[in-house]
Amino acid sequence: MDEIIKREDALFEHISKLIDEAHKHVKTTVNTAMVYTYYGVGKYIVEDEQTNKERAAYGKGVLKQLAVKLCNKYGDGWTVDTLKRCRYFYKVYSSSVIGATPLPQSEEVPQFTLSWSHYLVLMRIENADERKFYEIESRQQNWSVRQLQRQYASSLYERLALSRNKDEVMRLANEGQTVDKPSDIIKNPITLEFLGLKPDTVYTESKLEDAIISKMQQFLLELGKGFLFESRQKRFTFEEQLFFVDLVFYNRLLQCYVLIDLKIDKLTHQDLGQMQMYVNYYDRYVKQDFEKPTIGILLCKEKNDALVELTLPKDANIYASAYQLYLPDKALLQAKVKEWIEEFEENEELKKLLR
């Protein structure tokens, strides 16, 4: 009994010292400091648990007593549930080090740059590659917790993966979403659940456009990196005829205009021809010499890649992208991505054997 009390006291002292060190940080770094603290707390708990021969009673005994002592000294925040989250946080991130930053105890840990609220979302993502992708994007795009939750719920990782060549899928986990060429901004499907339009109701292209304009901030987030909104129903005249482009954007990363036409009916070759004319007009009369060729996107209920390939020349900078008014089936998309990755890895093994 005395040995158990000594062990509990030692564990309390270790964690107490760690929390005291965290409190010394200036206010601007409190959030990050606490993330490292939670990681360290989890480390101490896991290490102590691994040396405890009576694991079955661990959660009910040691954690409960530890929580009582910590709450008495630091307030009500150090509950058993908090300690369990710390333990899980450590288990997840100690096995997937992205960077390395030493703790005072010279232990190397991942480089944490987000808030604890972000990590509460991230650490529940089982797939390590997917988790790394969302962590990179949260940091680079300065996502709020709500934006991170929405992007995860909308299966951004899977949709980007399935919109790319298999050789590029592995880059997502290591670099996040890279935007080097026009196809990098395409995702299938584009998810517009935030518009509030019900899939089973009748609506016009004008109503769809109005809904997008009213939720432009969310729409820009869904489009992805580098997008700036320029105008709606952009009018231009050619040979005394008026033409209107539904939505005009500019992508600062690709340095080009991006034209979007909305289609609620079946995609036709006339739609593609019209977009080709819009793109040609912008390339010849609007874009400046330093800018890249204009991109055209037909946002439609059902895309038809075969029709696009048959109608347009191979070097056309025009894409059809499907949209949906509800969140996608994450399990289905995850299964598809898994198949792609397995095929990628099999091809890599085959290449090694043929060398």
Side-chain angles (χ1 to χ4, degrees):
M1 186 64 180
D2 291 340
E3 184 63 27
I4 294 177
I5 294 175
K6 288 181 180 179
R7 183 168 55 78
E8 290 178 355
D9 289 340
L11 181 60
F12 170 77
E13 289 300 322
H14 281 307
I15 293 177
S16 179
K17 182 178 179 180
L18 189 64
I19 296 172
D20 287 335
E21 288 294 322
H23 285 174
K24 294 179 183 179
H25 286 260
V26 294
K27 290 183 179 180
T28 55
T29 61
V30 164
N31 208 333
T32 302
M34 288 310 297
V35 173
Y36 282 100
T37 301
Y38 290 137
Y39 182 89
V41 169
K43 170 183 175 292
Y44 282 132
I45 292 173
V46 170
E47 289 181 347
D48 185 75
E49 181 180 18
Q50 290 173 345
T51 60
N52 180 18
K53 295 181 180 180
E54 300 176 353
R55 292 191 180 186
Y58 189 89
K60 297 179 180 179
V62 177
L63 288 186
K64 184 176 180 180
Q65 293 303 317
L66 179 61
V68 170
K69 292 182 179 180
L70 291 174
C71 285
N72 286 338
K73 184 172 183 179
Y74 298 107
D76 295 337
W78 292 96
T79 63
V80 172
D81 286 341
T82 298
L83 297 178
K84 287 181 178 179
R85 291 190 192 101
C86 292
R87 178 173 61 185
Y88 187 70
F89 182 50
Y90 174 77
K91 286 183 176 180
V92 169
Y93 275 88
S94 62
S95 61
S96 57
V97 174
I98 297 173
T101 301
L103 276 176
Q105 292 81 6
S106 74
E107 163 114 359
E108 287 192 346
V109 304
Q111 183 178 355
F112 299 122
T113 57
L114 301 172
S115 73
W116 176 239
S117 296
H118 283 86
Y119 287 109
L120 286 176
V121 178
L122 291 168
M123 69 184 184
R124 287 171 172 78
I125 301 176
E126 294 183 5
N127 183 287
D129 290 337
E130 184 179 3
R131 187 190 318 120
K132 286 191 289 183
F133 165 79
Y134 284 112
E135 184 168 4
I136 292 170
E137 289 297 302
S138 294
R139 181 173 64 250
Q140 292 181 351
Q141 302 304 307
N142 197 28
W143 284 347
S144 65
V145 175
R146 180 174 294 182
Q147 288 172 332
L148 168 61
Q149 291 171 326
R150 189 267 165 186
Q151 295 289 40
Y152 174 70
S154 70
S155 302
L156 176 62
Y157 172 77
E158 290 85 1
R159 290 185 291 131
L160 286 173
L162 294 172
S163 301
R164 280 157 167 68
N165 294 328
K166 294 182 177 66
D167 291 349
E168 296 179 337
V169 173
M170 306 306 292
R171 291 183 63 187
L172 289 173
N174 298 318
E175 302 176 29
Q177 182 186 4
T178 55
V179 180
D180 301 319
K181 56 185 183 300
S183 60
D184 289 338
I185 65 173
I186 304 299
K187 59 174 71 75
N188 279 300
I190 286 182
T191 303
L192 305 178
E193 92 291 344
F194 53 84
L195 297 182
L197 295 175
K198 296 182 179 179
D200 55 351
T201 58
V202 177
Y203 57 90
T204 63
E205 290 174 359
S206 177
K207 185 174 182 179
L208 176 61
E209 182 181 318
D210 288 341
I212 289 174
I213 294 298
S214 69
K215 301 287 186 179
M216 183 53 68
Q217 183 177 359
Q218 293 95 320
F219 188 66
L220 287 171
L221 178 66
E222 172 62 14
L223 287 180
K225 294 184 177 180
F227 276 93
L228 304 172
F229 176 58
E230 181 175 294
S231 63
R232 66 182 296 192
Q233 291 298 311
K234 181 71 173 182
R235 184 178 74 171
F236 67 88
T237 304
F238 183 73
E239 292 188 350
E240 299 182 353
Q241 292 188 64
L242 281 177
F243 299 94
F244 298 87
V245 184
D246 288 342
L247 300 169
V248 178
F249 296 85
Y250 192 85
N251 191 283
R252 60 182 181 82
L253 300 179
L254 294 176
Q255 291 190 306
C256 70
Y257 285 98
V258 181
L259 313 180
I260 295 181
D261 244 13
L262 306 174
K263 301 297 175 184
I264 62 172
D265 298 317
K266 186 176 181 180
L267 184 66
T268 67
H269 68 276
Q270 290 92 340
D271 297 329
L272 293 166
Q274 178 177 267
M275 178 56 78
Q276 180 73 78
M277 188 269 285
Y278 291 168
V279 167
N280 289 344
Y281 179 86
Y282 263 74
D283 280 345
R284 296 172 188 177
Y285 301 107
V286 180
K287 88 174 186 67
Q288 300 185 55
D289 292 340
F290 70 88
E291 293 175 321
K292 303 294 177 57
T294 304
I295 299 171
I297 299 176
L298 289 138
L299 196 56
C300 45
K301 269 190 174 180
E302 295 181 15
K303 71 188 187 81
N304 189 328
D305 292 331
L307 181 64
V308 175
E309 184 177 349
L310 182 63
T311 305
L312 300 174
K314 291 183 177 181
D315 58 349
N317 220 14
I318 296 173
Y319 303 86
S321 185
Y323 72 86
Q324 58 186 34
L325 301 174
Y326 52 88
L327 293 175
D329 186 331
K330 181 176 282 290
L332 179 61
L333 292 181
Q334 287 176 334
K336 289 183 179 180
V337 172
K338 183 179 179 181
E339 289 178 8
W340 279 42
I341 293 176
E342 288 175 351
E343 184 175 336
F344 172 84
E345 292 174 344
E346 288 176 2
N347 290 338
E348 289 297 301
E349 288 298 323
L350 182 60
K351 288 178 183 178
K352 291 179 181 180
L353 292 175
L354 294 176
R355 287 174 185 171

